[in-house]
Amino acid sequence: MDMKKQLTADQALVEEALARYAEQWPELGDLQRAMAYSLLSGGKRIRPVLTLAACRLFGGQAEKALPFACGLEMIHTYSLIHDDLPCMDNDDFRRGKPTNHKVYGEATAVLAGDSLLTAAFGVLAQAELSPEQIVRGVACLSQAAGPAGMAGGQILDLLGEGKTLTYDEIVQIQNLKTGCMIEAAVRLGAIAAGSTPEEEEAVAEYARKIGLAFQIRDDVLDVLGDEAELGKPIGSDQENQKSTFVGLKGIEGCEALIEELTEGAIASLASYPGSEFLCELARMLAGRTK
């Protein structure tokens, strides 16, 4: 199966599983609808795809990693709901649709995000893996999503608004806010496969590099992207007075960084047979337009 066919197949596998989980939530007011609205609104599903791919790379069965992949995507979705709130980035559109709080109101949007975050760990606990693997998976994801990861990056991002940050400060924010969850994605796949510590670290190095390249590309698209294709307004970084990679390095400098990081990510997996999908995925993400 070639890269694009595998990607499409994995995205479909994730979509079907997420829909099954959503069907199990009780219908209490608008809560279930608000959760499903954001969770099932599309998206590239890159993080859960990375989980499945890392599991396969180390000889595991992707289906057994599916609860890990879906729990991760639920937490990613909760973060988007909260990120769009008026008290954060105050965005009206996400993936070409009105943001959650625009449809269901701020209170329900907060609860939808809270519920997705909490439900995610219940999903991880349902994985048909050993108790040790499940505990490791829960620890990995909670670390990546909490104050030492995504939430910590978000507060640094808010504190940096209106300030001129250094390159290292922007890297720290993005490594926490975006990179930690991308790294968790591949670590979860490696854990589900029963990989060695050396194997897990190799794929984590890959993820750290593509995670930073991913955010640099986001900064470029916020300046040069097509609003209709992106499904959200462009120019929000400037509007929110955020320091960005584009502001420091310029477009050409950012393109060079993306290429360097992508090639470094590919090199980190060079000694592992079967890494072609992950290598091609890195190149695809580097050149994305949305």
Side-chain angles (χ1 to χ4, degrees), residues 37-61:
Y37 175 81
S38 292
L39 184 65
L40 305 180
S41 67
K44 297 177 284 292
R45 306 303 191 197
I46 294 303
R47 291 160 188 79
V49 165
L50 283 168
T51 301
L52 303 184
C55 184
R56 284 196 195 96
L57 177 64
F58 300 125
Q61 300 176 37

Side-chain angles (χ1 to χ4, degrees), residues 71-72 75 120-121 124 136-146 181 184 188:
L72 176 83
I75 289 183
F121 291 101
L124 262 69
R136 286 178 62 202
V138 169
C140 172
L141 188 53
S142 64
Q143 175 82 6
M181 288 290 284
L188 287 170

Side-chain angles (χ1 to χ4, degrees), residues 89-208:
D89 286 351
N90 194 24
D91 285 327
D92 293 343
F93 290 92
R94 170 76 64 178
R95 294 170 179 167
K97 299 167 62 177
T99 47
N100 199 290
H101 68 276
K102 285 294 180 180
V103 177
Y104 294 101
E106 290 182 42
T108 299
V110 169
L111 289 172
D114 292 346
S115 297
L116 284 166
L117 169 62
T118 310
F121 291 101
V123 169
L124 262 69
Q126 296 175 31
E128 294 181 3
L129 298 167
S130 72
E132 180 186 0
Q133 286 171 300
I134 291 173
V135 169
R136 286 178 62 202
V138 169
C140 172
L141 188 53
S142 64
Q143 175 82 6
M150 181 175 62
Q154 182 66 30
I155 192 66
L156 290 180
D157 192 32
L158 290 172
L159 291 172
E161 289 182 2
K163 298 178 182 177
T164 301
L165 303 181
T166 66
Y167 175 79
D168 287 343
E169 287 172 330
I170 298 174
V171 168
Q172 182 190 24
I173 289 171
Q174 301 309 337
N175 282 344
L176 293 174
K177 185 178 176 183
T178 304
C180 278
M181 288 290 284
I182 292 177
E183 182 178 340
V186 297
R187 285 192 183 275
L188 287 170
I191 291 167
S195 67
T196 67
E198 293 76 18
E199 290 171 335
E200 184 178 332
E201 185 52 38
V203 80
E205 178 65 16
Y206 161 91
R208 285 191 286 269

Side-chain angles (χ1 to χ4, degrees), residues 194-278:
S195 67
T196 67
E198 293 76 18
E199 290 171 335
E200 184 178 332
E201 185 52 38
V203 80
E205 178 65 16
Y206 161 91
R208 285 191 286 269
K209 290 183 183 301
I210 68 164
L212 187 53
F214 188 94
Q215 187 56 51
I216 296 171
R217 176 59 66 200
D218 257 6
D219 284 2
V220 171
L221 290 175
D222 193 64
V223 176
L224 300 179
D226 180 90
E227 198 165 293
E229 190 172 5
L230 287 171
K232 60 181 181 179
I234 63 171
S236 60
D237 288 337
Q238 183 176 1
E239 184 178 335
N240 291 324
Q241 296 183 302
K242 291 184 179 182
S243 295
T244 67
F245 291 106
V246 172
L248 280 180
K249 299 291 186 179
I251 298 297
E252 289 187 7
C254 284
E255 294 293 349
L257 275 173
I258 291 168
E259 182 178 356
E260 178 185 341
L261 288 163
T262 301
E263 292 307 313
I266 292 168
S268 69
L269 299 181
S271 62
Y272 293 96
S275 62
E276 294 83 4
F277 174 82
L278 285 168

